[in-house]
Amino acid sequence: MYDLIVIGAGPAGLSAALTACEKGLKKILVIERDKEMGGILNQCIHNGFGLHLFKEELTGPEFAGRFIEKIKETDVEIMLDTMVMDLDENKNVYILNTRGYQKIAAKAIILAMGCRERTRGAIATPGDRGSGVYTAGAAQRYMNMNGYSVGSKVVILGSGDIGLIMARRMTLEGAKVLACVEINSYSSGLRRNIKQCLEDFDIPLYYSHTITDIKCTNNRVSKVIISRVDEKYNVIEGSEIEIPCDTVLLSIGLIPENELSKAAGIIIDERTKGPVVFENMETSVEGIFCCGNVVQVHDLADNVALEAKKAALAACKYVSEESSFERIIEVKANKPISYTVPQKIHLPIEEKLIDVSFRTNRVLGNCVIKVADSGGNVISRYKREYVIPGELEKIKVPVSLIRNEQNNITIFIEED
Ligand SMILES: Cc1cc2nc3c(=O)[nH]c(=O)nc-3n(C[C@H](O)[C@H](O)[C@H](O)COP(=O)(O)OP(=O)(O)OC[C@H]3O[C@@H](n4cnc5c(N)ncnc54)[C@H](O)[C@@H]3O)c2cc1C
């Protein structure tokens, strides 16, 4: 029996395993379906990683490398090329690799399976079904890891970070990126990526537009039709623009990878598509914790690694039977806040501050994030110049302010 099994060897899984090891946990196993550790970072060869954690600008593989080097010096067992097929609430893990199908068990589990990309089918984009349509992450993998060129005249649907980064990457490889098309009136990517990946290369960004048709010639994309949409996403007739191209990249969102969580009976938050978690990253099943993109889509790998430390510390406490609490309170979100992580808090706890992260569903200028107790009294305030859906917002709620709370706290925003 292992003390801890970590599923996934991306930055979340590696940071969690290292922290647990540093805390003295003895029998730790990391299981990864890929042939190497590093997760999605292995294909992110651009820089921009590690600014918070290492105070340096690293590429994705360099960032992952920092964890991989350290973990190789420990007794943490790494099982690569191994797919976790199933998980149950008793912390039995069912794996498949070249040695066959096996059941292994642990006292605690950390889920760190990351996200997968939404595909054309998820948004039912009409048109011909020829070649030349890729998810942005798949195109990134083909280019950066396999050395293939995926196209020469490109239209990108969605202004998420992966799409923005691929716009720059393909331009630097000699392709012409003709347009980035975004259905919302705002981008879901980081501001710095809009500047560095589109504006610096004069790539037009069409807000409130979507692809309404894809045409193929000889079974390859030959043009797309984009159209303007209204605020309810209805296509506005007569607004069509025809763009001849050979490639369409889809950057239309990520979905936390939670089939295993569901199999273990973990409660999933329909808003985040990740497990409902407590402040210590424990899920609704005792002893199963989670961190990183499996919980919610993060902007920065640095934050993923920090969140993983929290999950690991809680898993260590759980294994040594040190965790105890008296009651649970709920964290509620009022619109335009779409959700919060965590959704629940154990009380009392030793920590002085609780990290709460969330996204809004619209852009707000000068505003104040407020926390209210269950009686409606505002107990803390956080000023912001702006909040945008593309950037994960974070506040630290002092535990002293909620020590006596019995039911819930509510997070909301008011414009100044
Ligand atoms: C294109 C792109 C650009 C980015 N740019 C930046 C940036 O500039 N700066 C920055 O800080 N962040 C950036 N990020 C974000 C950052 O890379 C992610 O937030 C981070 O990698 C998420 O880490 P993770 O460990 O949760 O998930 P992942 O890195 O996805 O790792 C999950 C791991 O779990 C494994 N796994 C899943 N299911 C199973 C299973 N059933 N069995 C075994 N293994 C399994 C997967 O193979 C994978 O290795 C970018 C992300 C992308 C996609």
Side-chain angles (χ1 to χ4, degrees):
M1 158 96 71
Y2 286 93
D3 283 336
L4 174 66
I5 291 180
V6 179
I7 307 177
L14 294 176
S15 166
L18 266 175
T19 305
C21 178
E22 283 160 10
K23 275 278 149 191
L25 218 57
K26 289 283 172 270
K27 289 202 71 187
I28 305 172
L29 171 67
V30 179
I31 307 174
E32 169 57 52
R33 67 183 168 195
D34 215 333
K35 288 186 174 14
E36 51 196 332
M37 293 182 261
I40 196 81
L41 297 184
N42 289 335
Q43 65 184 67
C44 299
I45 61 169
H46 58 282
N47 55 8
F49 294 84
L51 285 166
H52 300 271
L53 206 58
F54 299 113
K55 310 282 177 254
E56 276 180 75
E57 201 166 3
L58 304 172
T59 63
E62 283 170 341
F63 183 92
R66 299 275 167 112
F67 292 95
I68 295 170
E69 275 166 33
K70 274 196 179 173
I71 216 157
K72 282 184 176 163
E73 291 165 8
T74 68
D75 292 332
V76 172
E77 218 180 297
I78 310 285
M79 205 182 261
L80 297 175
D81 215 356
T82 303
M83 181 82 182
V84 176
M85 305 297 289
D86 206 354
L87 172 70
D88 67 31
E89 70 278 18
N90 298 318
K91 298 180 267 299
N92 294 310
V93 179
Y94 301 82
I95 58 167
L96 183 67
N97 57 23
T98 48
R99 292 182 293 284
Y101 190 71
Q102 275 182 67
K103 173 178 148 184
I104 42 179
K107 292 179 189 160
I109 305 277
I110 294 183
L111 307 172
M113 292 91 73
C115 272
R116 63 167 178 268
E117 292 183 282
R118 289 176 84 209
T119 58
R120 182 176 177 179
I123 56 163
T125 306
D128 298 340
R129 300 267 142 185
S131 63
V133 181
Y134 305 87
T135 62
Q140 187 182 51
R141 196 172 176 94
Y142 285 137
M143 288 188 83
N144 295 349
M145 298 194 71
N146 308 117
Y148 297 128
S149 158
V150 295
S152 55
K153 286 190 283 170
V154 189
V155 171
I156 296 176
L157 180 61
S159 58
D161 286 318
I162 318 181
L164 297 176
I165 280 157
M166 280 307 288
R168 177 177 63 187
R169 178 80 183 99
M170 296 206 65
T171 307
L172 294 175
E173 282 293 318
K176 179 81 189 151
V177 180
L178 301 156
C180 180
V181 182
E182 169 57 60
I183 196 163
N184 289 308
S185 54
Y186 55 84
S187 165
S188 57
L190 292 171
R191 277 188 171 196
R192 71 167 195 224
N193 283 338
I194 305 229
K195 171 82 184 73
Q196 293 169 5
C197 301
L198 295 186
E199 290 171 9
D200 287 359
F201 296 97
D202 293 327
I203 297 169
L205 173 52
Y206 292 85
Y207 285 117
S208 302
H209 276 75
T210 190
I211 293 181
T212 44
D213 204 359
I214 298 177
K215 294 281 181 212
C216 291
T217 308
N218 297 330
N219 220 14
R220 172 84 196 196
V221 171
S222 55
K223 66 178 168 193
V224 298
I225 314 296
I226 68 168
S227 307
R228 181 175 277 284
V229 295
D230 65 19
E231 58 285 356
K232 292 193 173 132
Y233 304 126
N234 297 313
V235 171
I236 299 171
E237 296 283 330
S239 65
E240 297 83 3
I241 305 172
E242 196 176 292
I243 308 179
C245 61
D246 57 27
T247 304
V248 177
L249 298 192
L250 305 174
S251 176
I252 50 177
L254 299 168
I255 305 170
E257 188 85 69
N258 275 294
E259 274 61 33
L260 294 175
S261 320
K262 288 179 195 160
I266 289 168
I267 298 172
I268 301 293
D269 185 333
E270 272 317 305
R271 301 163 302 172
T272 56
K273 311 281 182 224
V276 168
V277 287
F278 289 93
E279 79 298 333
N280 62 354
M281 305 313 293
E282 189 168 25
T283 67
S284 59
V285 175
E286 243 185 55
I288 304 187
F289 301 81
C290 58
C291 50
N293 274 2
V294 81
V295 182
Q296 63 170 328
V297 179
H298 287 70
D299 307 330
L300 298 178
D302 300 60
N303 295 336
V304 164
L306 291 172
E307 186 177 271
K309 282 183 179 223
K310 204 188 298 174
L313 293 176
C316 291
K317 271 191 176 178
Y318 176 82
V319 171
S320 57
E321 294 174 2
E322 281 170 23
S323 26
S324 70
F325 64 92
E326 286 166 10
R327 62 186 192 282
I328 292 167
I329 66 163
E330 232 181 289
V331 185
K332 294 182 164 182
N334 268 4
K335 278 185 185 165
I337 296 177
S338 315
Y339 66 84
T340 65
V341 169
Q343 295 87 341
K344 289 172 190 274
I345 297 174
H346 295 117
L347 284 176
I349 49 169
E350 285 166 16
E351 287 72 13
K352 292 200 165 48
L353 295 167
I354 295 176
D355 295 306
V356 177
S357 57
F358 58 86
R359 285 182 196 270
T360 56
N361 60 15
R362 65 183 173 89
V363 177
L364 287 115
N366 282 315
C367 55
V368 187
I369 302 162
K370 296 184 179 174
V371 181
D373 64 17
S374 53
N377 310 301
V378 174
I379 52 174
S380 61
R381 296 174 172 78
Y382 311 80
K383 262 185 156 307
R384 293 289 185 274
E385 277 176 26
Y386 65 86
V387 291
I388 54 174
E391 290 180 15
L392 193 66
E393 197 54 60
K394 286 188 284 305
I395 57 172
K396 287 187 183 293
V397 179
V399 176
S400 58
L401 300 177
I402 59 171
R403 186 170 292 132
N404 299 322
E405 182 56 58
Q406 300 294 319
N407 302 310
N408 60 61
I409 56 171
T410 303
I411 321 278
F412 61 104
I413 304 190
E414 278 177 357
E415 268 171 303
D416 248 1

